[in-house]
Each structure stands twice: as structure tokens, then as C-alpha cells.
Amino acid sequence: MIKNLTRGLAAISLALASLTAAAPAHAAAPDPSVLPLGEAITLLPLGAESREGYTREAFKHWNSGANPTDGCNTRNEVLLAEAVTPPTVGSRCALTGGSWWSYYDNTIVTAASNLDIDHMVPLAEAWDSGASAWTPERREAYANDLGQSTSLIAVTAGSNRSKSDQDPAEWLPPAPEAVCRYATEWTATKLRWGLTIDTAEQIALQALAVSCPTSTVVYEPA
């Protein structure tokens, strides 16, 4: 009887050891990739762009943001994160006071209503570059991306509307000191979401890499 009990305990121990060995270890979140701008651009695949079928409504925004219980949608969460002087948060996340720096045109803004939340890579450009094949859920995640601080930027309404849906071959920030930062953040967003670039865009980005030799791109795949 003792011999059988010993064998049973040994069998249980072996089974537990097997289960422990088979259980995957908790994977740590990957560190963001950090690359020189020129090198990062080489990772962007070339692709033909097509706007066929695009509608802005294909990208649901703004949703309830990172914390659905706080009453703040994605737009207001970006404003709160980027405020130079924090605004007062009222009922239903109404924002009063505060100040923001629009880096595109080096302008201080003191009313949230005068700011747009710019998608670094505009929705239409994302559609052209691969998002047309995504699920609605992935497009919603893209349009409300709070996981990378450079994906959504609070800027003056004028600069955002001047940019519209243009890529760096067609538009760059009017503030000269903003151009290198903009090139890195555009590249980071396309890498994060696996978007393509066209030939004119590639040429423009490569020229910017030459002009911005010390600039680096930081991104983490979505």
C-alpha cells in the first residue's frame, strides 16, 4: 500500500511538473523600436495608393477613449494629455481654461475650441495606404490611437485644415523647427500601423532624412 501511495504521489508530481513546463511565461511588453530616421524610412513598403470607397465614417471617432468611465472622449483625453496649462474639467468632461502649444505653427492656444486633434497620418491617407483592407474595429482603433503619443496631435484648426489629407510630399508644418519632428512622427505612425508609402512620399521623406541627420523614430507596432 505504501508503495502504491508513493507511486501515486510521484505520478502527480510529474504531471504538475509537466503542466508547469507547458505553461507559457507571461510575455513582457516589447520595448519600442528606436531607429535613425533614414533607416526607419527604408522599412516602409512601397505601395500604390487608392482612395476608392473611402468615407470618413469608415473610421469611428471619437470614442470613449482609454477610460470609458471618466466621461472624456478621445479628443478630450488628447487635450488633457497635451495641455501646457491644465484646463478645468467640468461635467461630462467639459474643458475650460488651459493652454496648449501647437507645434506645427509654433502657436500658443488658450481655448480648446480653437484646436483640432490631427491624425498624424490623416484618415484618408491611411485608407489609401492599407487601411481600406482593415476591419472596422482596427480602423476605429487607429482613429482613436492613444497608445502612441505621436498618433494624435492637438494643433491649431488652421494648420490642421491647411494640411488636410496631404502627405509630406505635399505639406509640411509652416514652422521650420517643426519639420524634423513631423517627419519622424509621420514615419513612426506608418510603421506602427503597417501602412505603405508611395514613390513621391518616399522621395520627400528621404530628403527630410538628409536634412534631419540626428532625428530618430520611436514606435511600437499596434
Side-chain angles (χ1 to χ4, degrees):
M1 182 176 178
I2 294 174
K3 185 181 293 186
N4 289 339
L5 180 60
T6 302
R7 286 176 177 172
L9 291 172
I12 292 170
S13 297
L14 286 171
L16 290 173
S18 176
L19 287 171
T20 303
H26 180 69
D31 292 330
S33 296
V34 182
L35 298 168
L37 176 58
E39 183 179 338
I41 292 166
T42 67
L43 300 180
L44 293 169
L46 278 173
E49 293 189 355
S50 173
R51 196 154 298 184
E52 183 178 356
Y54 168 74
T55 64
R56 191 169 175 84
E57 290 69 31
F59 295 81
K60 181 183 176 182
H61 67 290
W62 305 109
N63 65 19
S64 56
N67 182 0
T69 66
D70 66 1
C72 296
N73 64 13
T74 305
R75 170 186 162 83
N76 278 4
E77 289 193 4
V78 173
L79 291 173
L80 289 168
E82 296 192 4
V84 176
T85 305
T88 300
V89 182
S91 175
R92 298 185 180 180
C93 203
L95 305 182
T96 55
S99 66
W100 292 263
W101 176 56
S102 168
Y103 91 81
Y104 287 1
D105 46 5
N106 195 20
T107 300
I108 294 294
V109 179
T110 56
S113 60
N114 292 334
L115 290 159
D116 281 356
I117 304 303
D118 181 40
H119 291 92
M120 174 54 61
V121 174
L123 301 180
E125 169 69 20
W127 178 274
D128 299 349
S129 307
S132 60
W134 293 350
T135 64
E137 291 77 16
R138 185 165 175 83
R139 286 196 288 267
E140 180 179 355
Y142 176 85
N144 298 274
D145 183 14
L146 295 169
Q148 180 164 283
S149 63
T150 56
S151 295
L152 300 171
I153 308 293
V155 296
T156 58
S159 65
N160 184 44
R161 291 162 199 182
S162 170
K163 172 183 173 178
S164 185
D165 57 9
Q166 300 176 94
D167 69 29
E170 303 160 312
W171 187 90
L172 289 170
E177 63 273 21
V179 171
C180 290
R181 173 179 171 180
Y182 185 78
T184 65
E185 294 183 355
W186 179 279
T187 302
T189 303
K190 286 224 160 177
L191 286 171
R192 173 169 169 78
W193 288 93
L195 297 170
T196 63
I197 55 174
D198 63 22
T199 301
E201 185 182 352
Q202 182 187 57
I203 292 170
L205 288 172
Q206 288 171 339
L208 288 167
V210 173
S211 302
C212 308
T214 62
S215 294
T216 56
V217 172
V218 181
Y219 75 96
E220 185 177 329

